[in-house]
């Protein structure tokens, strides 16, 4: 099966996971800069004061800030036609509410986009990939205060105007549904920059799974993000009618563990709440009915929805639905069911699937299923898979090569599944694999959890010279792109 000629092929990164240079050229601290590393069994920890003795993975990350030319050249060598990256909000407005944007930060992304243009690579830019300025967390409690909507829209307007002739494809918030994932404080901190005041001001390390969370605040802040996103979409279209602006959902596909109707209903609920609530608001421009039932059942007062908000949501619907897809999980009412390992999303284990070393269940057919499902739910809406990949331990051979057949196998089956979905009639317009170059893991803060086609010599103990080299999968993905998805061997 050949993918369409104009299909966007590429890879995706986030500023905080690759740039480093965390205080360079006027950048302010952002949420990920406050997080220390963990591993599959140890949650990352949060520490509000920067501890000079501690190792913060985002502070240097993979030094993309100084090596973007080399990295983009490698992407071009693989044949990328699209590169998804985020702008680090704190490079543009270091405190979030500064009077003027930081010119040095703006100039950096000019250089990055110009470099992409040199190779005919279309940038796909996420406005906020967990990179909420730390000052916004302290002053406005992330998106909990309504003021943050205005701060975000001003930031969006600044970059839309600045790059209006360089960037056509935009996403507002990465994985906006993370706060619905049921991970309490983790989802809130990453997604909304929302924290309990006592946690913000703590003077000790707090494991992320122990951050406090409050449903009323969570759904207030999430509503503010919806409004911020909708206002940005509307404004973007005014600035350049050719902009294509999407949402971005962390799609964890769910199945009932058994045919027990109770499991089937529970899975449907889970899917609605975790995946579809945010998607519906951003694609259809209004809250689905089940959201209000959820608010009622959980004592959430929806008075955060102000008069006029319904119009804003309706006028700011997205042009494309994009999502990350890594895994699926099973839902059951049975409290004894075995859960998947790993540290973010925990569902019941699917007996038919294998999992990565981090417990993420590998399910390529689930990607086809998801694409068909989304096309049914949002007919005519262009879809794009903007994250998908396999985090694994890699071994460097003596001659410097990295043989990663497990990664190739993962991608082969997922790309095949997308081809099948295209044949099913799904309007899939592009694919950016997660972490085409090794970077810092968001979930664990590890370097050892490697996703790349490109190896980066950097390790969890802070050693390594940041040099880049091509893994076997590099040559494989290059061949796949050159053959438009036909040659998957
Ligand atoms: C998504 C995030 C990415 C990325 C990816 C892989 O949820 O949008 O930022 O990190 O997951 O997760 P991890 O890095 O935890 O392996």
């Amino acid at each position: 099966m050949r993918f369409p000629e104009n299909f966007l092929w590429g890879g995706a990164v986030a500023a905080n996971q690759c740039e480093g240079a965390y205080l360079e050229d006027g950048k302010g601290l952002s949420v990920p800069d406050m997080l220390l590393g963990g591993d599959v069994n140890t949650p990352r920890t949060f520490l509000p004061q920067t501890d000079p003795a501690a190792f913060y993975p985002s502070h240097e990350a993979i030094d993309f800030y100084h090596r973007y030319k080399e990295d983009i050249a490698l992407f071009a060598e693989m044949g990328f036609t699209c590169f998804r990256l985020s702008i680090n909000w704190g490079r543009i407005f270091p405190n979030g509410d500064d009077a003027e944007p930081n010119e040095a930060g703006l100039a950096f992304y000019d250089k990055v986009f110009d470099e992409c243009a040199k190779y005919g690579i279309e940038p796909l830019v996420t406005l906020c990939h967990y990179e909420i300025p730390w000052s916004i967390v302290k002053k406005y409690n992330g998106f909990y205060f309504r003021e943050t909507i205005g701060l975000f829209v001003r930031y969006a307007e600044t970059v839309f105007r600045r790059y209006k002739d360089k960037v056509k494809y935009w996403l507002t918030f990465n994985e906006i549904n993370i706060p619905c994932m049921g991970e309490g404080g983790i989802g809130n901190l990453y997604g909304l920059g929302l924290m309990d005041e006592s946690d913000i001001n703590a003077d000790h390390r707090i494991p992320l799974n122990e951050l406090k969370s409050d449903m009323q605040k969570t759904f207030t802040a999430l509503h503010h993000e919806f409004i911020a996103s909708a206002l940005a979409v509307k404004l973007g279209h005014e600035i350049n009618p050719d902009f294509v602006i999407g949402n971005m959902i962390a799609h964890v596909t769910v199945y009932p563990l058994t045919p027990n109707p109770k499991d089937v209903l529970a899975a449907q609920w889970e899917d609605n709440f975790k995946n579809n609530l945010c998607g519906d608001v951003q694609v259809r421009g209004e809250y689905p009915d089940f959201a209000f039932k959820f608010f009622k059942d959980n004592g959430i007062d929806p008075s955060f929805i102000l008069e006029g908000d319904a119009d804003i949501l309706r006028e700011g619907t997205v042009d494309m639905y994009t999502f990350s897809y890594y895994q699926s999980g099973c839902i059951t009412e049975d409290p004894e069911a075995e859960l998947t390992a790993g540290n973010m999303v925990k569902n019941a284990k699917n007996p038919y699937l294998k999992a990565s070393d981090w417990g993420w269940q590998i399910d390529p057919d689930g990607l086809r299923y998801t694409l068909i499902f989304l096309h049914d739910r949002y007919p005519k809406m262009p879809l794009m898979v903007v994250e998908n990949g396999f985090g694994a331990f890699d071994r460097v051979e003596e001659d410097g090569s990295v043989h990663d057949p497990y990664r190739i196998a993962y991608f082969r089956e997922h790309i095949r599944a997308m081809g099948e979905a295209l044949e099913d009639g799904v309007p899939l317009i592009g694919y950016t694999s997660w972490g085409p170059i090794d970077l810092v893991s968001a979930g664990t803060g590890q370097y050892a959890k490697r996703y790349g086609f490109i190896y980066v010599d950097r390790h969890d103990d802070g050693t390594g010279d940041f040099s880049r080299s091509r893994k076997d999968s590099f040559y494989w993905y290059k061949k796949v792109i050159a053959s438009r998805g036909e040659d998957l061997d």
Side-chain angles (χ1 to χ4, degrees), residues 263-321:
D263 282 0
V264 176
L265 270 171
Q268 184 182 48
W269 165 252
E270 186 92 359
D271 190 25
N272 271 343
F273 179 64
K274 294 194 172 172
N275 296 316
N276 303 331
L277 191 157
C278 294
D280 287 1
V281 172
Q282 295 188 295
V283 174
R284 296 175 171 166
E286 59 182 5
Y287 278 89
D289 293 333
F290 64 79
F292 294 101
K293 156 115 172 74
F294 169 78
F295 292 158
K296 193 159 155 249
D297 289 352
N298 289 280
I300 297 168
D301 171 7
S303 58
F304 46 76
I305 305 178
L306 303 188
E307 219 186 306
D309 283 1
D311 294 336
I312 294 174
L313 294 179
R314 213 176 18 253
E315 290 167 11
T317 55
V318 292
D319 307 315
M320 62 175 172
Y321 178 108

Side-chain angles (χ1 to χ4, degrees), residues 13-14 16-17 84 129-130 174-175 178 190 248 250 324 326 343-344 358 360 387 391 434-435 439-446 449 451:
V13 301
N16 74 85
Q17 291 168 262
R84 175 177 174 230
H129 194 128
Y130 308 141
N174 183 65
E175 299 189 333
I178 277 285
Y190 271 121
M248 200 294 202
S324 58
Y326 291 91
N343 47 4
M344 281 288 269
W358 280 263
W360 295 22
E387 283 186 32
W434 176 252
L439 35 60
V440 174
S441 154
T444 65
Q446 288 173 291
K449 189 180 188 185
Y451 282 90

Side-chain angles (χ1 to χ4, degrees), residues 45-65:
T45 47
F46 159 81
L47 178 66
Q49 305 80 19
T50 335
D51 172 358
F55 180 63
Y56 291 84
S58 78
H59 291 192
E60 287 182 277
I62 57 159
D63 197 32
F64 177 82
Y65 194 77

Side-chain angles (χ1 to χ4, degrees), residues 361-415:
Q361 298 191 136
I362 303 163
D363 181 13
D365 288 328
L367 178 54
R368 180 180 179 190
Y369 170 84
T370 304
L371 285 163
I372 295 170
F373 170 85
L374 290 171
H375 180 43
D376 280 348
R377 192 170 187 96
Y378 309 122
K380 307 235 179 319
M381 182 59 47
L383 303 175
M384 184 162 174
V385 179
V386 294
E387 283 186 32
N388 168 243
F390 191 63
F393 295 108
D394 286 334
R395 203 182 75 212
V396 185
E397 306 295 336
E398 264 173 31
D399 64 359
S401 57
V402 175
H403 305 306
D404 54 350
Y406 36 88
R407 185 168 292 110
I408 293 174
Y410 180 97
F411 281 117
R412 176 182 295 126
E413 293 312 315
H414 285 79
I415 292 172

